[in-house]
Amino acid sequence: MANYETALAQMYALGHELAQTPSHKFDLAHIRVLLAALGHPENRFPTVLIAGTNGKGSTAATLGSILQASGLKTGLYTSPHLVRINERIRLNGKPIDDDDFALLHDVVDRTAERLVGEGDLPWHPSFFEMLTAMAFEYFARCRPDMVVLEVGMGGRLDATNVVEPRLSIITDISLDHEKYLGETVAEIAREKAGIIRPGGIVVTLPQLPEANNVIGNTILDVGARAVNAVPYVPPVSPGSDTYMSGQSPESGRRGQRYPLEVRGETILVESPLVGRHQLRNVGLAIAAAEELHNQHIENQGTVQITPETIARGIRETQWPGRFQVVPAAGDNPEYVLDVAHNPAGAWALRSTLSVAYGDLGNGREITMVFGVMRDKAVQEITEILFPIAGRVILTHANNPRSASPDEIRQAAARMAAGMDIEEAEDVASALDRAREVAGPKIAGPKITGSGGLVVVTGSIYIVGEAMRTLGVRI
């Protein structure tokens, strides 16, 4: 059996998960052939399947934490990863260990090679198909009570969409991955709605009219039951910022705190996920948990999810890189790490910065470390984010899809004239430069001045490399 490093190298040798042609990536027949040869591991555990453009990872992490707090052995499959590929496959919050990863890669890879050699598969499965099959095999062996699966991209033809979920969740839909999913919100929504099962349950929230129409019609066409998560989203008004942002007096962590009625009982929601957009994701997770309550699952009996375990699960959610604040210390300024990678995510980051840092523009300047994938809406993202920065340092991740600093500068040319924009050859160099220009003055353990704020954003890959460089633990 190959060791972990060899398994990792072989996985990455398959190329990036979006590097191949759409037709090559999107064919459920191939993943079904692979899973059949493995004995259909995807059928040996109950699942929840989550699709959407933004928020599906946050919703998955929150729901997974609620299920775990309720005493369920819980699997979680998400993508992409921040620092290590193992983060994508978790059991009760713990990433798959290196030995299990290597073993499962060996099992799935040997099976795939045999299928190609016998002519049952036209080519070797893609990176994402391999990883999804490995995750299914891992969960089949560990026998969790419930597995929360985040769709990789789209829904209808995503490799995860071979399961028969207990329920489906659709988070907010907007423009992203248009090359693969369609040029309009309606076209993209049709792909996301592909996870809705005939006679199944789908949890969602009202959103853009084009998406609402597609989701609503799909639910009617297949006879599914819609669950509206609106009762679990607190009212948002200008005056609500005082209790939705700030630090918990108990933990000292930045987050959101608000009372919410669940099953006739008032709980205090304390979510570490910052930003008004996260209120919707938490609401979806609560609504899904309520639907799963009292369901019968093998080996567990009747699932008991209480208001108290919902509150605890939300409080204990871990989903790094989403408006994650790294406090100033030593020579380091304060950092905000956020994976805003499309226009909707960029607007969410801009809004959350405005709420969380009321002193911006009042002596507190943002230095932005920015890098993005070239297949994203680079011009639109830069037009949303760059105006709030006093200085922008362009860089790129170690990823073949990553736009070069020069490509970003050209895309932003229309609005970047007169802006202070620099370029750095890699993320580590960009952070060194940001530290030079934004470092706070320190007197002992406390910051004596307001200091600068460094915002690292544009891509999960940029944030992941920044976390490695800064030594931020996942």
Side-chain angles (χ1 to χ4, degrees):
M1 187 188 80
N3 63 20
Y4 174 76
E5 287 73 22
T6 302
L8 208 58
Q10 290 176 352
M11 283 292 291
Y12 284 123
L14 295 172
H16 189 270
E17 50 209 295
L18 296 184
Q20 299 171 355
T21 64
S23 61
H24 192 157
K25 175 180 170 58
F26 290 136
D27 188 340
L28 290 188
H30 296 166
I31 185 73
R32 286 185 171 129
V33 168
L34 177 59
L35 293 172
L38 291 167
H40 285 294
E42 77 282 8
N43 294 336
R44 301 209 292 271
F45 48 85
T47 59
V48 173
L49 188 57
I50 305 178
T53 305
N54 290 92
K56 59 184 185 291
S58 298
T59 303
T62 304
L63 177 58
S65 186
I66 290 172
L67 297 177
Q68 187 180 340
S70 302
L72 298 181
K73 186 178 181 181
T74 305
L76 181 64
Y77 180 57
T78 59
S79 61
H81 58 275
L82 279 166
V83 176
R84 300 188 82 226
I85 195 171
N86 305 50
E87 298 164 31
R88 299 181 182 222
I89 305 171
R90 293 176 176 266
L91 188 67
N92 278 348
K94 182 182 177 183
I96 183 173
D97 67 36
D98 293 356
D99 289 343
D100 283 339
F101 186 96
L103 171 64
L104 292 169
H105 174 268
D106 193 57
V107 169
V108 176
D109 189 59
R110 286 175 185 270
T111 303
E113 293 287 0
R114 175 175 61 81
L115 292 168
V116 172
E118 295 174 354
D120 294 321
L121 282 178
W123 47 65
H124 194 285
S126 69
F127 175 96
F128 190 73
E129 288 168 335
M130 282 288 294
L131 200 61
T132 301
M134 289 166 60
F136 288 163
E137 184 68 21
Y138 178 67
F139 294 136
R141 295 180 181 203
C142 296
R143 301 304 294 268
D145 299 315
M146 190 68 68
V147 176
V148 181
L149 300 171
E150 177 193 359
V151 166
M153 185 174 70
R156 182 175 64 91
L157 295 176
D158 188 81
T160 59
N161 198 33
V162 294
V163 300
E164 287 301 323
R166 290 297 181 95
L167 61 84
S168 303
I169 304 174
I170 297 181
T171 67
D172 289 344
I173 296 172
S174 60
L175 294 176
D176 198 12
H177 293 303
E178 291 95 324
K179 175 182 174 183
Y180 301 93
L181 303 179
E183 297 294 330
T184 67
V185 169
E187 288 175 333
I188 293 171
R190 272 190 283 276
E191 294 299 317
K192 310 289 186 183
I195 70 166
I196 300 173
R197 295 293 186 266
I201 304 168
V202 57
V203 179
T204 191
L205 280 166
Q207 45 182 300
L208 293 172
E210 306 98 296
N212 286 340
N213 289 339
V214 171
I215 295 169
N217 287 332
T218 302
I219 289 169
L220 290 173
D221 290 344
V222 303
R225 177 166 66 87
V227 175
N228 189 347
V230 164
Y232 303 107
V233 180
V236 176
S237 65
S240 65
D241 291 341
T242 53
Y243 72 85
M244 287 187 189
S245 300
Q247 292 186 339
S248 163
E250 289 81 10
S251 67
R253 292 188 305 170
R254 184 177 291 278
Q256 308 194 85
R257 308 173 75 239
Y258 50 92
L260 191 71
E261 186 172 302
V262 176
R263 218 176 302 152
E265 181 179 330
T266 299
I267 62 172
L268 179 63
V269 174
E270 295 181 280
S271 173
L273 302 175
V274 181
R276 289 187 177 187
H277 58 293
Q278 294 288 8
L279 301 176
R280 293 172 61 83
N281 302 325
V282 172
L284 287 167
I286 296 172
E290 284 289 86
E291 282 299 312
L292 292 172
H293 173 63
N294 275 340
Q295 281 203 15
H296 183 84
I297 60 175
E298 188 180 354
N299 301 324
Q300 180 70 21
T302 302
V303 177
Q304 294 296 318
I305 299 171
T306 68
E308 188 277 329
T309 61
I310 288 174
R312 179 152 50 88
I314 295 169
R315 188 168 60 248
E316 295 173 353
T317 300
Q318 296 182 4
W319 193 232
R322 281 74 183 174
F323 208 87
Q324 182 171 353
V325 178
V326 181
D331 294 330
N332 286 312
E334 183 173 3
Y335 295 93
V336 170
L337 308 172
D338 191 86
V339 301
H341 61 277
N342 55 35
W347 278 119
L349 171 58
R350 181 166 171 166
S351 171
T352 306
L353 282 167
S354 175
V355 172
Y357 293 93
D359 57 348
L360 290 178
N362 185 24
R364 193 85 183 273
E365 185 174 82
I366 288 179
T367 298
M368 185 171 291
V369 173
F370 183 86
V372 69
M373 301 297 104
R374 65 168 56 89
D375 54 6
K376 297 289 186 173
V378 182
Q379 178 178 328
E380 191 172 351
I381 295 169
T382 59
E383 288 179 352
I384 295 166
L385 291 178
F386 284 13
I388 65 174
R391 181 191 307 263
V392 177
I393 302 172
L394 303 177
T395 189
H396 64 96
N398 182 23
N399 185 298
R401 290 171 55 217
S402 191
S404 69
D406 188 58
E407 287 172 323
I408 300 172
R409 188 187 286 272
Q410 289 180 34
R414 192 176 75 181
M415 48 75 64
M419 288 192 66
D420 192 346
I421 297 180
E422 303 179 20
E423 298 182 11
E425 62 182 14
D426 53 36
V427 173
S429 301
L431 291 172
D432 285 341
R433 178 57 179 154
R435 187 181 301 112
E436 287 177 16
V437 299
K441 299 175 181 177
I442 302 291
K446 293 187 177 180
I447 303 173
T448 57
S450 61
L453 177 69
V454 176
V455 176
V456 182
T457 191
S459 163
I460 193 168
Y461 303 101
I462 294 292
V463 170
E465 291 187 24
M467 293 178 84
R468 275 195 296 272
T469 301
L470 296 171
V472 177
R473 295 187 63 183
I474 296 294

